[in-house]
Amino acid sequence: MQTPERRPNIVFVITDQQRHDTVGAMGFPYMDTPVLDELVSKGTAFSNTYVTAPVCSPSRASLFTGLYPHNSGVLRNDEPWASTWVTDLADAGYHCVNIGKMHTHPFEAPLGFHERHVIENKDRAHPKLPFYLDNWDKALMARGVVKPDRRTYRDRPDYNESLGAFVWEKERDLHPDIFTGDLACRWLKEWNGDAPFFLEIGIPGPHPPYDPTEKDVAPYRGRDLPKAIRADMENQPAVLRRLRENHMREDHDAVVHLAEPTEDQKQRQREHYYANVTMIDEIVGKVRDALRERGVEDNTVIIFSSDHGDCLNDHGHSQKWTMYEHSVRVPAIVYDPRVPGQGRVDDLVSLIDLAPTILELAGLTPPDWMEARSLKGYLDGTQDAPVREEVYSELARDMIQDASAFMTMIRRDRFKLVYFLDSEEGQLFDLESDPDELTNLWDDPGHAGIRHDLTLRLLNWRIESGLEAQRWIGRAS
């Protein structure tokens, strides 16, 4: 273990529902992200980072255990978390703080943190969701402001045509993302401790409602943005067609999903979504300023990523709950001011790999039951081969994805396979020749061998996974 005075502080910024193509320096010049661009240029950025579940809580519980969802025990939102590796940081002398969203259940369970200042989803106005008043709710109430959510947005005459995209019309400092960022900066200014700290900042955006301020969305209006991948419903398994029907029946997160939105509607949705990312970029800049003012910038590692992506009408789908690239692939950046950055890494990595990476950065040895693989060798330039040959993602039946009991994705080399537990249908894509995932090769005789090999690999992986994580069973926070 490193000596206390040499251990770095760690700031982990986790956004909600941010797809991989949202950082300018990662090859997406339509984005305004100067702060993240600088972190990419000075740090190490992973361009092929896949989540272990395309839905909030399972992905986050997986990240904070270093286990796949089928082993963490959290397969759906609002299922209880048992433990996290934050406890290991706390036991090693780190002061551990969560400000913003983690989507744990219970919402304020300690899970190793000394402090939790929780801000949850922007919109929780659904009778099936647990009642909870978070710090943002209370701030709005104290200011006499009615919280914008699907109940208030429904009063708008354009609600049914907006695809969840609205301009934030309240005071700027009350926007949930800005409120979270300002609270984190306030903590960095006010905390009077001298221990190394682990600060998780959970930004609620760009999860819908897509609600940037007018200042932020104005530069994106009319900008040449990527067009939505066509709604290829004829090539999609029945499970995904039913998912789409669910979205069109109900306005999840204030998004009224349309079967045939116009190009203008889809453009507007993306303008708001990308503008929300630019707001987040500014927030990361404020956090860096706060670290500088505290005098700890040179000894603080900044990690930036997200829990899953957002289809934004790609393939005709709303939000996540699919295994398409824009649902399961996210940005991931690590900036360690103590070492030279290694630039862009195109190897396959899993979001959970940040778990042992953080522990090693703190001078700890990751538990041997972790299924995640440390990325630290990439950060210091000692990694001479990829840590992974394949990545996996899982999705269980929940309130919204209700057509399949379980679906599993594997990506290996150029191919991605999606297996549905209770269906003879599936998906197989050649991402090299078909990056938009429009040609499903599942039933193609010429790819039967690839389908067989990847399906067999899924079987072997599940067995290996159970054995590897067995020592974790029974661990308590």
Side-chain angles (χ1 to χ4, degrees):
M1 182 183 298
Q2 299 175 15
T3 58
E5 64 272 18
R6 295 189 59 193
R7 289 184 292 172
N9 306 303
I10 301 170
V11 173
F12 193 2
V13 180
I14 307 176
T15 62
D16 194 334
Q17 206 155 304
Q18 183 175 345
R19 44 195 274 163
H20 74 96
D21 59 349
T22 51
V23 179
M26 293 298 290
F28 308 104
Y30 51 84
M31 291 300 306
D32 295 333
T33 52
V35 178
L36 295 177
D37 292 351
E38 184 180 2
L39 294 183
V40 170
S41 69
K42 294 182 176 180
T44 305
F46 299 90
S47 65
N48 281 306
T49 303
Y50 286 79
V51 301
T52 55
V55 68
C56 295
S57 193
S59 177
R60 292 164 183 262
S62 182
L63 168 58
F64 278 90
T65 55
L67 298 167
Y68 289 99
H70 64 264
N71 283 321
S72 77
V74 181
L75 295 173
R76 303 164 190 85
N77 286 339
D78 306 314
E79 291 186 334
W81 292 34
S83 175
T84 74
W85 45 258
V86 177
T87 299
D88 299 319
L89 290 177
D91 289 345
Y94 272 76
H95 186 74
C96 300
V97 184
N98 153 235
I99 295 175
K101 181 174 180 179
M102 275 193 61
H103 216 55
T104 64
H105 189 76
F107 291 117
E108 296 181 353
L111 296 170
F113 286 100
H114 298 94
E115 303 177 50
R116 296 204 61 194
H117 309 280
V118 178
I119 294 117
E120 265 297 319
N121 276 12
K122 302 175 184 179
D123 182 357
R124 296 193 54 76
H126 193 286
K128 292 184 180 180
L129 294 177
F131 174 77
Y132 178 64
L133 291 175
D134 65 17
N135 282 274
W136 180 52
D137 290 314
K138 296 169 187 176
L140 292 171
M141 293 167 62
R143 295 269 282 270
V145 173
V146 176
K147 179 180 180 178
D149 57 30
R150 75 190 79 180
R151 294 170 299 187
T152 60
Y153 285 128
R154 283 171 183 158
D155 293 333
R156 295 174 57 110
D158 63 347
Y159 181 68
N160 291 326
E161 292 79 41
S162 294
L163 304 182
F166 312 102
V167 172
W168 179 262
E169 297 176 344
K170 309 297 182 182
E171 294 180 65
R172 185 177 177 85
D173 69 320
L174 288 179
H175 187 282
D177 298 348
I178 294 172
F179 178 83
T180 301
D182 286 350
L183 186 57
C185 292
R186 179 70 178 268
W187 184 88
L188 286 168
K189 178 180 179 180
E190 299 286 346
W191 183 57
N192 60 4
D194 56 8
F197 59 81
F198 172 72
L199 173 60
E200 189 274 347
I201 305 175
I203 306 293
H207 189 289
Y210 310 115
D211 57 355
T213 67
E214 175 61 29
K215 166 184 173 292
D216 294 287
V217 74
Y220 280 92
R221 288 204 178 99
R223 183 175 292 187
D224 186 13
L225 301 175
K227 305 299 182 186
I229 298 170
R230 69 177 177 85
D232 54 327
M233 304 313 298
E234 71 279 4
N235 296 325
Q236 295 186 28
V239 169
L240 299 186
R241 296 197 299 271
R242 181 165 162 179
L243 171 65
R244 187 173 188 247
E245 291 167 359
N246 187 312
H247 281 289
M248 289 190 291
R249 280 197 311 271
E250 187 166 349
D251 55 343
H252 299 297
D253 303 299
V255 179
V256 176
H257 191 57
L258 303 177
E260 297 183 2
T262 67
E263 291 302 316
D264 286 345
Q265 287 172 317
K266 290 184 285 187
Q267 168 76 13
R268 182 175 181 275
Q269 184 185 55
R270 290 180 177 230
E271 289 169 352
H272 284 65
Y273 178 86
Y274 293 134
N276 202 160
V277 174
T278 292
M279 290 179 65
I280 292 168
D281 184 82
E282 180 180 330
I283 291 164
V284 176
K286 289 182 179 179
V287 170
R288 293 193 69 191
D289 290 341
L291 292 169
R292 191 175 300 114
E293 292 168 7
R294 189 177 177 90
V296 297
E297 181 186 30
D298 293 339
N299 193 43
T300 300
V301 178
I302 299 175
I303 302 172
F304 181 93
S305 195
S306 192
D307 56 356
H308 52 75
D310 190 318
C311 284
L312 290 179
N313 268 288
D314 284 333
H315 299 280
H317 285 282
S318 179
Q319 302 199 58
K320 55 269 191 182
W321 294 284
T322 76
M323 298 299 178
Y324 289 116
E325 287 289 278
H326 293 120
S327 177
V328 294
R329 195 167 151 208
V330 296
I333 306 166
V334 181
Y335 168 60
D336 186 342
R338 304 167 304 162
V339 298
Q342 300 300 312
R344 174 171 169 159
V345 174
D346 294 327
D347 292 349
L348 292 175
V349 301
S350 177
L351 182 65
I352 61 172
D353 296 336
L354 292 174
T357 306
I358 289 171
L359 293 179
E360 289 191 351
L361 286 169
L364 306 180
T365 301
D368 59 5
W369 44 257
M370 271 194 178
E371 298 180 274
R373 302 180 184 183
S374 176
L375 305 176
K376 193 170 182 296
Y378 288 114
L379 307 182
D380 58 22
T382 62
Q383 191 73 38
D384 57 4
V387 300
R388 290 186 178 274
E389 293 184 346
E390 63 252 332
V391 288
Y392 302 90
S393 192
E394 307 175 314
L395 185 61
R397 175 180 289 127
D398 62 15
M399 291 189 299
I400 297 175
Q401 189 291 110
D402 61 359
S404 178
F406 207 81
M407 63 176 80
T408 312
M409 180 212 84
I410 175 174
R411 178 180 173 185
R412 184 184 179 106
D413 297 326
R414 61 194 288 177
F415 289 101
K416 174 197 286 187
L417 179 139
V418 183
Y419 181 87
F420 300 98
L421 175 65
D422 36 20
S423 172
E424 293 184 0
E425 295 182 294
Q427 292 179 297
L428 175 63
F429 300 109
D430 182 341
L431 295 178
E432 184 175 302
S433 64
D434 179 29
D436 287 341
E437 300 170 287
L438 288 169
T439 303
N440 185 2
L441 302 170
W442 180 263
D443 291 320
D444 177 42
H447 288 81
I450 294 293
R451 171 179 160 180
H452 173 271
D453 292 347
L454 291 178
T455 303
L456 180 61
R457 180 61 196 134
L458 279 181
L459 170 63
N460 289 334
W461 165 68
R462 283 300 299 264
I463 296 170
E464 294 163 0
S465 172
L467 291 171
E468 191 169 355
Q470 184 180 16
R471 290 179 292 275
W472 180 81
I473 296 173
R475 170 178 161 138
S477 59

